[in-house]
Amino acid sequence: MRVLIADDHEAIRMVVKTLVGMYVSSVATVEAYSNGDDLLMALLPERGEVGLLVLDLSMPGYRRRLDLVRAVFDLRPKLPTLVYTASSSPM
């Protein structure tokens, strides 16, 4: 299974990549992306099948948080996707 991870923080990408490798037994490749545009290119159908996407909701270049999610689902409407976000500032 090809797993894609999209987060703009390298440390988070590394942790998520490690966790996916530990808990998803059928992983063949894990690809990490630091921006939404590169992620969308990786999701093009000619780039091959994707089994899972792990996506940070707050990616640079997307002022409205759901814009990237909508673009992902436009390309791959049936793709299993885990969407998360984190903030260092208090609510």
Side-chain angles (χ1 to χ4, degrees):
M1 172 191 330
R2 182 172 162 226
V3 177
L4 305 185
I5 299 167
D7 194 297
D8 55 318
H9 295 95
E10 183 177 6
I12 301 296
R13 289 192 308 269
M14 290 176 15
V15 169
V16 172
K17 186 175 182 175
T18 299
L19 290 171
V20 166
M22 289 171 53
Y23 293 104
V24 182
S25 60
S26 60
V27 172
T29 60
V30 177
E31 301 170 23
Y33 297 91
S34 62
N35 67 71
D37 294 337
D38 288 346
L39 169 67
L40 293 176
M41 293 298 292
L43 288 171
L44 292 173
E46 58 267 21
R47 297 284 304 268
E49 290 299 314
V50 178
L52 174 66
L53 171 61
V54 182
L55 175 63
D56 177 7
L57 187 58
S58 298
M59 294 289 282
Y62 292 86
R63 291 176 27 169
R64 294 186 328 189
R65 291 181 170 196
L66 290 178
D67 286 350
L68 181 57
V69 174
R70 285 186 189 103
V72 165
F73 287 114
D74 285 346
L75 285 171
R76 303 272 184 147
K78 295 182 181 181
L79 176 63
T81 303
L82 171 68
V83 180
Y84 67 95
T85 195
S87 175
S88 61
S89 50
M91 298 232 145

